[in-house]
Amino acid sequence: MSEKLKIKLSIANRVYPLTVGANQEEGLRKAAKNIEYMIKQFEQSYSVRDKQDVLAMCALQFASQVEQKTIDKKNVSEHVEVKLKELDELLHSHLNS
């Protein structure tokens, strides 16, 4: 069973105490760091000061990245499937000749 750690993450000037598996700590710390970086970028680029608005924009940005990766992965999978079918047909045609 995974060892549990008590960590504190700071996001948007708030501290969030969490109990997480040791294997999750690095990912959570990196995610918090990325959120903090994105908050600063939005505040500088768009002069947004309301933390709720900035956090909503961050959530939208991260969610859209996840959705885009899902779409891209599906497109790659469909492309690979088409190519594999073409290769299969080519092999069958040569084997049956």
Side-chain angles (χ1 to χ4, degrees):
M1 189 172 259
S2 180
E3 177 187 346
K4 293 292 183 182
L5 301 174
K6 291 186 179 197
I7 65 172
K8 292 181 181 178
L9 298 177
S10 177
I11 301 172
N13 299 323
R14 288 191 181 183
V15 176
Y16 297 91
L18 300 170
T19 302
V20 300
N23 60 338
Q24 295 177 301
E25 181 185 13
E26 182 181 2
L28 286 167
R29 290 196 185 278
K30 285 183 177 183
K33 187 176 180 180
N34 288 336
I35 293 168
E36 282 295 313
Y37 176 77
M38 193 175 287
I39 287 170
K40 288 178 185 171
Q41 293 297 318
F42 279 126
E43 287 177 339
Q44 290 172 357
S45 298
Y46 300 107
S47 299
V48 179
R49 297 287 173 239
D50 185 299
K51 290 293 183 193
Q52 184 173 347
D53 289 342
V54 174
L55 288 170
M57 293 167 71
C58 288
L60 179 61
Q61 183 73 25
F62 284 120
S64 69
Q65 289 171 0
V66 169
E67 291 302 322
Q68 189 60 51
K69 285 180 183 178
T70 301
I71 291 167
D72 293 346
K73 188 176 180 180
K74 181 181 178 209
N75 289 341
V76 167
S77 293
E78 289 172 353
H79 179 73
V80 167
E81 186 177 342
V82 167
K83 291 296 180 185
L84 285 173
K85 284 181 181 178
E86 290 173 358
L87 183 58
D88 186 54
E89 290 171 6
L90 183 62
L91 284 171
H92 274 44
S93 70
H94 284 295
L95 290 174
N96 293 331
S97 296

